[in-house]
Amino acid sequence: MDLDNLVLMANRIGQFFEAMPDRQEAIDGISGHIRKFWEPRMRHELRDAIASGRAEGLRPLVAEALAAKPEVLA
């Protein structure tokens, strides 16, 4: 899958959860959505891109959620 598309999809998820007043709830929502609805190959590709510094453009809350719960991308 195209990395730019994965970043765009992750950012759309993040935009939805950014409206939540509870930051921890937003982080849990983002990571939970990606864990439940993304195929393993999508999660692995995003994980590898983040690790190699190629996942430019991730919204800060999305990056924070994925850093806080790295098992989501495993």
Side-chain angles (χ1 to χ4, degrees):
M1 179 163 262
D2 179 49
L3 178 58
D4 291 334
N5 193 34
L6 290 176
V7 170
L8 178 67
M9 290 170 39
N11 283 340
R12 285 186 180 157
I13 295 164
Q15 282 178 305
F16 175 82
F17 287 103
E18 282 176 354
M20 297 185 134
D22 183 338
R23 189 166 188 86
Q24 187 58 50
E25 187 177 358
I27 288 170
D28 292 342
I30 293 166
S31 59
H33 182 92
I34 290 173
R35 180 181 46 79
K36 288 178 189 174
F37 299 109
W38 282 30
E39 295 179 5
R41 67 183 175 89
M42 295 165 67
R43 296 191 312 261
H44 297 165
E45 187 170 338
L46 186 57
R47 176 198 61 205
D48 294 345
I50 291 169
S52 67
R54 295 180 297 115
E56 297 175 8
L58 277 179
R59 297 177 78 83
L61 185 59
V62 174
E64 182 181 346
L66 297 175
K69 299 191 178 246
E71 66 276 7
V72 167
L73 299 177

